[in-house]
């Protein structure tokens, strides 16, 4: 399985500001995803980060609010823009191997005040 | 759209008792996966089932995929405190589809 790191691990931000979360993988992977998880809740897929092209967003998530970069096969960023308290959540990146198994990063705990 | 439902939502068991969580889909699944998330941690992949009626075991954990490939179960024998956490199932209609996560079953062990 891949080793995945995320930065920052947590942050407290003021409403109206933006935060960029980084996800680094120790090997090249094709499929990389960004999820959101409210405390005690399930995982909601935000988007698939595509290398070399625009991310594919799920219903309810838009590029203006959650711009994603994927400059290469080992790295991606997710920006949470113009934050409001409703954006307080845990944000997780994950990668998928050739067997469709997903491996998650440690997550970024975001609190918006 | 596709839905993956898990029951129960919460389960409290005495240490040493068995535990089972169930996963049901509204549609036939290509595959089902199970993940475990410890409190404060991130989801960790446990296993994937792809064949109708498949049963897989990992030590005290037994995973089963239904004959109709619409349901699955995870059974833990003789629970230990290390089993505490939330167990998620996740499935996809087709092999290349994105997996849909259930809401999870939170297991709490009473010492």
């Amino acid at each position: 399985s891949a080793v995945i790191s995320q930065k920052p691990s947590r942050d407290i931000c003021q409403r109206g500001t933006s935060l960029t979360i980084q996800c680094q993988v120790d090997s090249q992977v094709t499929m990389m995803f960004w999820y959101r998880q409210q405390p005690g809740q399930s995982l909601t897929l935000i988007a698939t980060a595509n290398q070399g092209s625009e991310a594919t967003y799920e219903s309810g998530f838009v590029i203006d609010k959650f711009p994603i970069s994927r400059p290469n096969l080992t790295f991606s960023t997710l920006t949470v823009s113009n934050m409001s308290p409703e954006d307080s959540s845990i944000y997780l990146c994950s990668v998928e191997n050739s067997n469709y198994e997903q491996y998650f990063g440690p997550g970024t705990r975001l609190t918006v005040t | 759209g596709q839905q993956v439902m898990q029951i129960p939502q919460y389960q409290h068991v005495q240490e040493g008792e068995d535990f089972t969580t169930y996963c049901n889909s509204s549609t036939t699944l290509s595959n089902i996966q199970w993940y475990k998330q410890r409190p404060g941690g991130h989801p960790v992949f446990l296993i994937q089932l792809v064949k109708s009626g498949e049963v897989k075991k990992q030590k005290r954990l037994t995973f089963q995929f239904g004959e109709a490939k619409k349901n699955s179960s995870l059974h833990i024998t003789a629970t230990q405190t290390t089993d505490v956490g939330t167990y998620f199932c996740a499935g996809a209609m087709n092999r290349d589809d994105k997996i849909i996560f259930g809401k999870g079953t939170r297991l709490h062990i009473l010492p």
Side-chain angles (χ1 to χ4, degrees):
Chain A
S1 63
V3 176
I4 305 166
S5 60
Q6 278 186 242
K7 287 195 294 189
S9 58
R10 59 179 62 229
D11 208 341
I12 301 173
C13 302
Q14 289 193 335
R15 68 172 67 210
T17 63
S18 298
L19 176 72
T20 296
I21 303 167
Q22 299 180 7
C23 180
Q24 180 75 53
V25 190
D26 69 341
S27 57
Q28 292 187 340
V29 291
T30 302
M31 302 301 290
M32 187 179 283
F33 305 97
W34 286 99
Y35 286 86
R36 183 169 72 182
Q37 185 178 33
Q38 304 282 2
Q41 301 296 314
S42 187
L43 297 117
T44 301
L45 181 64
I46 297 172
T48 303
N50 301 308
Q51 194 268 327
S53 64
E54 196 171 281
T56 305
Y57 290 85
E58 297 300 305
S59 176
F61 297 96
V62 295
I63 188 171
D64 290 345
K65 176 67 175 177
F66 297 101
I68 289 171
S69 79
R70 180 90 192 270
N72 55 53
L73 292 176
T74 64
F75 185 79
S76 178
T77 67
L78 168 74
T79 299
V80 186
S81 303
N82 188 24
M83 289 184 284
S84 66
E86 292 72 36
D87 295 320
S88 297
S89 190
I90 298 169
Y91 292 84
L92 296 140
C93 68
S94 77
V95 301
E96 185 179 87
N97 67 11
S98 57
N99 286 330
Y100 305 94
E101 302 161 0
Q102 288 201 24
Y103 295 90
F104 287 83
T108 296
R109 184 180 294 269
L110 170 62
T111 303
V112 184
T113 59
Chain B
Q2 180 192 348
Q3 289 186 343
V4 176
M5 291 155 288
Q6 270 186 265
I7 54 170
Q9 190 174 1
Y10 303 97
Q11 183 88 55
H12 296 243
V13 300
Q14 206 77 35
E15 187 175 7
E17 291 183 341
D18 293 356
F19 159 77
T20 305
T21 173
Y22 300 90
C23 184
N24 297 294
S25 170
S26 54
T27 57
T28 302
L29 299 171
S30 168
N31 59 302
I32 193 118
Q33 300 176 356
W34 286 92
Y35 294 79
K36 176 184 178 181
Q37 185 173 24
R38 292 177 181 272
H42 58 276
V44 174
F45 175 83
L46 293 177
I47 209 156
Q48 177 170 231
L49 305 169
V50 297
K51 298 177 184 175
S52 169
E54 188 171 13
V55 177
K56 287 188 176 180
K57 292 191 176 186
Q58 289 180 350
K59 297 182 180 178
R60 295 178 293 106
L61 276 62
T62 302
F63 304 85
Q64 190 164 7
F65 203 5
E67 294 288 343
K69 300 183 77 173
K70 283 188 172 183
N71 53 67
S72 181
S73 64
L74 158 59
H75 180 82
I76 303 178
T77 304
T79 54
Q80 300 175 359
T81 55
T82 53
D83 296 324
V84 165
T86 301
Y87 293 84
F88 293 98
C89 65
M93 285 178 59
N94 300 296
R95 206 74 174 103
D96 293 332
D97 288 348
K98 289 180 280 287
I99 57 173
I100 305 296
F101 281 84
K103 293 188 182 297
T105 295
R106 187 177 299 177
L107 173 63
H108 182 67
I109 308 290
L110 303 168

